[in-house]
Amino acid sequence: MIDLTAPVGEAFPPARARTPAATLSSDAPVQSLDGMWRFRYSRTVADAPDGVEAPDYDDSDWSEIPVPSSWGMPWHDRTLGADHGAPAYTNVQYPFPVDPPFPPDANPVGDHRLRFDVQELLPRTELRFAGIEGAATVWLNGTLLGTTRGSRLPSVFDVSDVVIAGANVLVVRIAQFSAASYLEDQDMWWLPGIIRRVELASRPHGGIDDVFVHTDYDPATGGGTLTVDAVVHGGGTAEIRLAELGVVAPAGDTLALDTVEPWSAEQPRLYELTVSTPAETVTLPIGFRTVEIRDAQFLVNGRPVLLRGVNRHEHHPDSGRAVPRDTVEQELRLMKQHNVNAIRTSHYPPDPYLLELADRLGFYVIDECDVETHGFGLVGWRRNPSDEPEWADAYLDRARRMVERDKNHPCIVMWSLGNEAGTGRNLAAMSEWIRGRDASRPIHYEGEQDCAYLDVWSRMYAPPSDVALIATFDEPPLDDPDLDARRRAMPFVLCEYAHAMGNGPGGLDEYQELFESSPRLMGGFIWEWLEHGIRTTDADGRPRIGYGGDFGEVVHDGNFVIDGLVSADREPRPQLEDLAVVFAPVRLTIDPAGQTLTVRNRYDFTGTGSLAFAWRFEAADGTATEGRIEVPEVAARAQADAPLPQEALAASAGGAGVLTVSAVLAADADWAEAGHEVAWSQRSTVTSASLDSTRTAPAAGAASMTGNAGIATVEPRTGALVALGDIDVADWRLELWRAPTDNDRGRGWEERDEPPMSERWTAVGLDRLVSRLVSFDADSDGVRAVTRVSAAAHDWGVLLDCAWTGVVDGVRLDVSVMPDGGPIAVPWARLGLSFSIPGEFGAVEWFGRGPGPGYPDTGQSARLGWHSATVDELQTPHVRPQESGARRDVHAFRLSDGKGRALRTGGDPFALTVRPWSTEALAAATHREELAGDGRTHIVIDHLQHGIGTASCGPGVLSQYVLWPGPARFQLRFTA
Ligand code: IPT
């Protein structure tokens, strides 16, 4: 077996190694070797068979595997009926002893074999692997070609003297772990395999082995420059051609072009460049743009741009790290549709296809190197490879392979050295090498806060209060005055913030307001785009989406891998819809009098000419009228007012209702169709009274000692509501708890000395409240029940005073809540009333915010109006069940059984949660698929709620959204 303690790959002989070069699209023949390969999984290196490299080795009893894919995915076991091992998830911790450079003996091996035919032998042939996760040893026709390291980087071998016309046999043995695994400790599944395309490429004599395109754009003159360096095999020169601009010139010349259209994420203008020699022509899309740092600002084409970014990993619920091209296209379109303009390729160079698309659709990309040694942090950073000389080559090798592969993409605006690798001279050396090779892009890395060898200052999960200091250059100084001065001249980026795990993140607006307040702030990248769920089955064979710990891992980090704006199937989570509103590049506001629309253009380069504006008025009864608004073009970063049209004013004057204005695409774009909404805003004149069909006049003789008030029946011995008309009601109680969200289970970064909120809640018993009847009175006005709600072993409590008054169509409930007894220094999760009614009541209509959910610090995408949904549709299908799905600002709702019976509720606006299971069942479930309806419809009406925050990784709930215990009063009305 080949030595697995080497951190860099090797070619045998060294001359077989191909110098790292750009991925180029060429007219020279290429043969894809993707498809079904023979495959054998061995649990350990010791179990792996001998002799597999021999062309005549008998692999007839092996299974098969699609290439590219990750071999441990349950999809393979299910579909191919073979045991190929299992995925394993860890965040920071290594899944093997920290014993560098040794991999563990329990080191799975995947043997891959492919027989393929070569029609015609061409003079020079390369075998290219775009990505092999793990440490591979490669043989062609029995000849050892070499080994690979660097899982998300290309490995290329010259096979001219080994490939034969006719049948060839390619063998790739991958050991999951090697020394290189110490450099690949990203927070994600450990998933070895041939994860990207494999091809055989002919390299003509006199062909083009590499191209480096240098462009820039001068906003002052509108001109640009172009220099194309070409490496021609065997020497000689190449010719470049840019037909659109009439350019034909020898490569190597610097050309000044008087007029070019610049490339930006907003207007991704590409030109087609060809580079030719008599033997070969390569074609590349190129863009003219300049990235620079000046006056502590990050400038593209001379202007400070705001990055509205996401961190993107490569993951697919069936094929693992290999993501099909149509999925990548789908996700980038989704990003554009949700106003995302930047991608950090966390935490490794992506499949090159992503960069092609990002050039075309328009994204600013931070290309990040495949380096993370986070697990050394758990052992005090002792022997961290980032600072150990024996790892220097490996670091440089990775930097070089990334830059050479990706250097021609206009979308890449920064190079990132990696993630969470501590600090040290090997990182500094990477930076120096990159600077020498490509001075046109700044260098990013978050792990080195002195920024000694970096160009921008980057942090992750900094709370808004820290960002506010940085915005105004008021950050605490570094000890070294020189370094401090250097850093103070840098722009600032949040390479990760707002942890989109489960229900949340809360508090996006507060970050965005800061980003827009200071040109020093470059914006940031949400953590993260995608949940890494895996389609699998439970112990009983039932389908489910799995996470860490579901695959028998010895150590794992649970559902921390499920933290995205979209599910693993790329289904948007509510937080993506919210983000679209927070990131909207155009802000609309209607003045308080409802006469004027203000358009604030937040694009950095683009006027509003590509947008159309519209209005819609929805009256309190649900009827609507709509029309267009004429808005003169508003320049980039400018603002203007436009009067609302007479029809809109007339409609709004007709009675209570909601006026919505919106900006939509006027024409089809590459990423959305005409009519796609980019921004909206509302003005409402609806009050609960304007919706209330229940009159408040007392109904004569409505109450009695049996506890009837109007349609309400209250149990005299407990004070609990037990019926509304003929609808039976159960589980009536005061609710102060919620099924903990992932953020509730996190320890906020500013509250590190406190246990997580979910634990503080259970410590004071919010999850197990009991009730004692204090008093029950009934007279001709109604029924009044006072109960004291508290928890075993505690002396704190709450007096709940419910006064029920019969009214003509139903019953009015006046609620008063008063803390009683020993204080608790723990926020409440909510202040609400909950109850259940029969499960047939499954259709909900409401006036309030929707269609999506919202909490005090989320739900930016939920708009006021009438909405309807089934109870099932109201559930957010989080992989790990948790509190979710509340609709905010509800003024009235109706729950009907489809057979003419309905419960109607109104009153002071509240948050409404309706679900087919109880809060306890929700809290107890570990996977979505465990939840099943219990035959009841469970309703929680919240007068107040605690915020969501982003404490699963980052700051907790911001102070303005914390629900501290206190007295409250509110009113509800029920009609049945
Ligand atoms: C940060 C990591 O960079 C990222 O990979 C991911 O783990 C994220 O956190 C949380 O999901 S590192 C952490 C110490 C903040």
Side-chain angles (χ1 to χ4, degrees), residues 632-645:
E633 166 132 15
V634 184
R637 295 202 162 206
Q639 113 172 25
D641 292 343
L644 288 169

Side-chain angles (χ1 to χ4, degrees), residues 625-865:
T625 42
E626 55 190 36
R628 293 180 61 100
I629 313 173
E630 292 314 317
V631 178
E633 166 132 15
V634 184
R637 295 202 162 206
Q639 113 172 25
D641 292 343
L644 288 169
Q646 276 309 320
E647 301 86 318
L649 301 183
S652 319
V658 183
L659 178 66
T660 305
V661 291
S662 58
V664 303
L665 289 186
D668 290 351
D670 277 352
W671 44 270
E673 291 180 359
H676 166 80
E677 192 175 59
V678 173
W680 57 270
S681 173
Q682 292 188 311
R683 173 178 181 267
S684 172
T685 50
V686 175
T687 60
S688 296
S690 54
L691 293 167
D692 199 357
S693 58
T694 320
R695 275 151 292 164
T696 49
S704 74
M705 280 310 284
T706 60
N708 289 324
I711 58 162
T713 308
V714 181
E715 164 59 53
R717 283 162 301 186
T718 61
L721 178 72
V722 292
L724 285 166
D726 63 355
I727 303 175
D728 88 86
V729 172
D731 310 313
W732 174 264
R733 68 186 188 203
L734 179 76
E735 196 78 272
L736 302 177
W737 186 64
R738 67 185 178 202
T741 65
D742 291 316
N743 288 310
D744 294 334
R745 303 207 306 181
R747 213 180 234 111
W749 283 24
E750 286 161 312
E751 301 96 42
R752 281 265 155 117
D753 40 346
E754 300 268 17
M757 194 56 80
S758 59
E759 289 174 25
R760 294 167 71 191
W761 288 337
T762 37
V764 296
L766 294 191
D767 58 330
R768 51 188 161 85
L769 296 178
V770 292
S771 165
R772 170 175 65 79
L773 184 70
V774 176
S775 64
F776 182 87
D777 299 293
D779 58 26
S780 56
D781 287 340
V783 170
R784 184 166 168 208
V786 179
T787 48
R788 187 176 188 280
V789 178
S790 183
H794 286 279
D795 67 349
W796 72 273
V798 170
L799 287 173
L800 172 68
D801 181 337
C802 290
W804 300 88
T805 309
V807 291
V808 172
D809 295 341
V811 66
R812 188 181 86 214
L813 169 63
D814 289 282
V815 183
S816 151
V817 169
M818 185 59 76
D820 179 64
I824 50 167
V826 177
W828 289 339
R830 64 188 345 147
L831 171 57
L833 292 169
S834 72
F835 56 102
S836 72
I837 62 175
E840 300 87 74
F841 290 85
V844 192
E845 282 168 274
W846 73 100
F847 182 93
R849 292 195 183 270
Y855 289 77
D857 52 352
T858 70
Q860 293 87 341
S861 63
R863 58 185 93 188
L864 280 172

Side-chain angles (χ1 to χ4, degrees), residues 91-92 186-187 313 344 347 372 374 419-420 460-461 496 499 527-528 560 563 749 953:
N91 171 10
V92 178
Q186 290 93 346
D187 173 10
H313 263 288
R344 173 176 177 233
H347 297 304
E372 171 154 350
H374 208 165
N419 183 61
E420 296 283 8
M460 44 172 78
Y461 309 103
E496 294 176 24
H499 199 246
W527 189 268
E528 63 164 291
F560 205 63
D563 51 355
W749 283 24
C953 186

